[in-house]
Amino acid sequence: MIIVLSTIIKFVIFVLLFALPLATLLTWMERRQSAYSQDRIGPTRAHLFTLFGKPIVLGGLLHPVADALKMFFKESFAPDSSDHALHRVAPLIGFVTALIVLALIPFGPDITIAGHVIPLQIIRLDSGLLFVFAFGSLGVYGAALAGWASNNRFALMGGIRASAQAISYEIALGLTVVGVLMSFGSTELSEIVHAQEGLILGFLPRWGIVLQPFAAILFFVAAMAETKRAPFDLPEGESEIIGYFLEYSSMGFGLFMLGEFIEIVVLSGLFATLFLGGWQLPWIIGESSVSLGIFAFDLPSWAIGVLGMFIFGVKVFLLCALQIQLRWSLPRFRYDQLMHLGWKILLPCALVNIFVTGVLVWADPSLGILAWFGVALMVFFIMVVIAGPRKVSALEH
Amino acid sequence: MLASVLFYFGAAVLLVAAVFVISAKSPMRSAMALIVALCAQAFLYVLLDAAFVAAMQVLVYAGAIMVLFTFVIMLLNMQAEHQTQRSLLSFSRLGGGIAIGYFVWRIISSVTHADSKPVDGSVLAIGKLLLSDYLFAFEAISIVLLVAVIGAVVLGLKRLT
């Protein structure tokens, strides 16, 4: 009884009060951030009332509301020649699978209320990470089916591109995580978070990104490709084929759009869990007490839970903002570049990462060497970024 | 009680989807029904406390192999078939009948000789088994897959003439 009740409450808190509103807010954030990136003003029209002759637009915050109303009241249209049943099911698939993945992500520590230990994670499974990938891999059927069932050539091309892209990047995505599994020794997401507790080498957080910086970069790139957003938005490619959702209107289109933003939240949550220590901060949250350097004080279990949820939420939010910024910074890949990146760069790099991680974990099971190696790699990456691309003189072009 | 209700639910979904796989005219609907059947099977594995096998079932079969199936269907733009080849129908009936008979016999014999014991289905236990008792089979399968990959590359290479 207590399990059913707590699961419902967790679902309401995490999915209905955190993930879905965040996804809706991201539609606004994308508009604002793209406006800043492109030196525009951004959304200014939707408003409820005027004050002193000026419309109160709240920085465009009312636009998601206006969008939702528009989506709900438009006619839901399906072409006569489409496969009606599949056409109707397709938008739900991506959305539902993304929500299932969300249920496996721990969003806070285990809390104790009235003698009951309640994990702040909706579903806890021994092979949780594998289920994340399993349901993540099912998500592509939404795009593929939408493209097929619309009976429209451009939509079909979008669907074909989506499935080819998903298959190519799924392999790299699965292999990058193997290094993380080797470092933390578990496939259960809350255990992975627990393994990232505290410090390593005495001064660094024991996070996945310190131990596996290379895997973190590969994972982020491959997972961005799975969300089908720029620079990997070939299935959509609005300037060439419009996309697999070409024949959708009303809430069908709305579900694709919301599903895309939910996927951003899911990817951020997964990245935070695997590489950024989930709901914990190394110097602040200990086992059951909070220590800020010299002070340390005990908090009740529920307060630690709320604090953990807050920290997790902030990490997820920052990662979402990073993804949106990337979407507005990078141009779309060409199709051959996409395949080249997936098969010839990410896949071999992931295999090398597995091998190197295996050797280093075998050499030092306390992960010390792995951490030093990770630090060296991060310094190298930062230096590469500072050095910038090779200067090519005008004559060489 | 709850477990048996869930089992019958999963089994019913599995059977209906499996019948739909062979009865559907459109290849895409057939493929989608197969995905539903595979997921229902994974659900039955979860009920048997074999979550790892269930995850692998969804990940490998429903998530990867079936994506390739749908990819091929979409790439060739296959439409619904309206005629079946009469000449092969009797052979398929015979083959299907034999297969059904064999599987019914296996099911009945396994139910009547119920000497199964529960096993540990956790990732840790399966990983240990794969890298100790079944190491040879595990490596042999990897080599078979490697041969298949090399074969595909060789067949897919354009002849440089």
Side-chain angles (χ1 to χ4, degrees):
Chain A
M1 188 60 215
I2 191 91
I3 294 173
V4 175
L5 195 67
S6 67
T7 306
I8 292 172
I9 293 173
K10 281 184 284 188
F11 177 79
V12 168
I13 289 177
F14 186 52
V15 177
L16 298 184
L17 293 179
F18 175 71
L20 287 177
L22 180 58
T24 319
L25 191 70
L26 284 179
T27 62
W28 170 77
M29 250 174 77
E30 178 146 80
R31 289 203 176 112
R32 293 300 293 186
Q33 227 167 321
S34 68
Y36 279 121
S37 299
Q38 301 172 340
D39 201 14
R40 292 184 282 111
I41 300 170
T44 54
R45 295 299 173 91
H47 64 277
L48 282 178
F49 54 91
T50 47
L51 204 64
F52 306 119
K54 268 187 163 179
I56 301 300
V57 295
L58 302 172
L61 260 179
L62 292 168
H63 273 259
V65 182
D67 271 347
L69 287 175
K70 185 186 74 177
M71 299 276 187
F72 275 122
F73 289 110
K74 266 184 145 179
E75 182 191 355
S76 182
F77 179 80
D80 270 346
S81 57
S82 67
D83 189 330
H84 285 277
L86 293 184
H87 189 269
R88 189 153 288 195
V89 170
L92 288 172
I93 296 174
F95 190 70
V96 169
T97 50
L99 285 187
I100 293 176
V101 173
L102 213 52
L104 291 154
I105 297 174
F107 55 95
D110 293 4
I111 55 173
T112 312
I113 292 178
H116 298 282
V117 177
I118 298 170
L120 289 181
Q121 182 183 17
I122 299 172
I123 308 170
R124 179 166 285 180
L125 278 173
D126 173 48
S127 39
L129 192 57
L130 297 168
F131 273 92
V132 166
F133 285 112
F135 285 106
S137 67
L138 287 183
V140 68
Y141 288 118
L145 261 190
W148 168 267
S150 302
N151 200 9
N152 176 312
R153 280 173 199 186
F154 291 109
L156 182 66
M157 282 167 78
I160 290 175
R161 285 181 181 191
S163 30
Q165 186 173 322
I167 259 282
S168 307
Y169 281 79
E170 222 159 65
I171 299 170
L173 190 68
L175 286 177
T176 49
V177 176
V178 174
V180 179
L181 296 186
M182 281 199 278
S183 318
F184 298 130
S186 177
T187 49
E188 208 279 299
L189 287 164
S190 66
E191 277 181 36
I192 290 178
V193 172
H194 269 292
Q196 301 179 56
E197 213 164 62
L199 300 175
I200 194 157
L201 305 177
F203 65 100
L204 279 170
R206 210 183 138 90
W207 285 354
I209 198 162
V210 174
L211 297 169
Q212 292 277 309
F214 196 41
I217 294 171
L218 295 177
F219 179 86
F220 197 73
V221 172
M224 265 198 91
E226 293 280 311
T227 62
K228 300 191 287 293
R229 281 167 58 79
F232 300 100
D233 64 339
L234 283 111
E236 188 177 330
E238 68 271 23
S239 54
E240 30 185 285
I241 60 165
I242 306 163
Y244 52 89
F245 43 64
L246 176 58
E247 297 286 2
Y248 282 88
S249 56
S250 173
M251 234 16 234
F253 176 74
L255 276 180
F256 278 122
M257 203 171 100
L258 195 60
E260 189 179 301
F261 286 100
I262 291 271
E263 276 177 26
I264 297 176
V265 177
V266 169
L267 162 57
S268 307
L270 262 185
F271 192 86
T273 305
L274 292 175
F275 296 104
L276 296 178
W279 41 263
Q280 44 195 0
L281 281 180
W283 297 282
I284 297 182
I285 294 195
E287 278 288 322
S288 63
S289 63
V290 173
S291 58
L292 292 160
I294 39 172
F295 320 91
F297 48 93
D298 283 319
L299 277 181
S301 174
W302 63 267
I304 295 267
V306 170
L307 198 60
M309 281 195 278
F310 177 72
I311 291 169
F312 182 76
V314 170
K315 283 179 185 172
V316 167
F317 182 79
L318 291 177
L319 284 166
C320 290
L322 174 67
Q323 285 181 66
I324 290 176
Q325 193 55 43
L326 282 175
R327 187 230 191 286
W328 292 101
S329 308
L330 297 172
R332 184 183 310 140
F333 282 117
R334 228 170 41 220
Y335 196 71
D336 60 319
Q337 292 170 332
L338 176 90
M339 288 295 152
H340 184 269
L341 177 68
W343 289 105
K344 293 189 180 167
I345 299 178
L346 290 187
L347 182 59
C349 285
L351 289 173
V352 168
N353 183 61
I354 292 177
F355 181 74
V356 171
T357 309
V359 170
L360 293 180
V361 170
W362 172 74
D364 181 9
S366 66
L367 305 181
I369 300 178
L370 191 67
W372 279 119
F373 185 72
V375 172
L377 217 61
M378 273 200 284
V379 170
F380 172 72
F381 286 146
I382 291 168
M383 276 163 62
V384 166
V385 170
I386 291 171
R390 188 168 63 97
K391 302 273 191 303
V392 182
S393 68
L395 281 175
E396 273 185 65
H397 275 293
Chain B
M1 177 59 203
L2 182 68
S4 58
V5 168
L6 287 174
F7 168 77
Y8 284 115
F9 171 73
V13 171
L14 174 57
L15 286 178
V16 170
V19 168
F20 198 74
V21 172
I22 46 174
S23 67
K25 285 271 188 289
S26 148
M28 198 61 160
R29 288 190 167 204
S30 201
M32 287 302 132
L34 187 51
I35 293 164
V36 173
L38 289 168
C39 290
Q41 204 184 346
F43 178 69
L44 295 184
Y45 286 142
V46 171
L47 290 183
L48 290 172
D49 268 344
F52 177 76
V53 182
M56 281 300 142
Q57 168 93 358
V58 177
L59 183 61
V60 175
Y61 289 101
I65 291 179
M66 287 312 294
V67 171
L68 281 181
F69 272 48
T70 54
F71 183 68
V72 170
I73 293 172
M74 283 160 70
L75 206 60
L76 300 179
N77 207 352
M78 285 154 74
Q79 297 301 331
E81 277 181 41
H82 294 294
Q83 52 184 7
T84 47
Q85 285 177 306
R86 288 265 158 208
S87 57
L88 291 174
L89 208 57
S90 54
F91 279 107
S92 4
R93 279 181 183 151
L94 186 68
I98 290 171
I100 288 176
Y102 175 70
F103 283 117
V104 166
W105 175 68
R106 285 304 298 260
I107 290 169
I108 290 173
S109 62
S110 71
V111 168
T112 47
H113 299 88
D115 57 348
S116 58
K117 53 183 184 298
V119 289
D120 187 2
S122 69
V123 182
L124 188 72
I126 290 176
K128 275 186 177 160
L129 275 180
L130 275 183
L131 292 177
S132 59
D133 290 5
Y134 298 98
L135 182 64
F136 179 74
F138 183 68
E139 293 297 332
I141 290 172
S142 331
I143 290 172
V144 169
L145 287 175
L146 186 66
V147 169
V149 169
I150 293 172
V153 169
V154 169
L155 290 177
L157 266 184
K158 280 178 190 151
R159 286 281 153 81
L160 298 171
T161 48

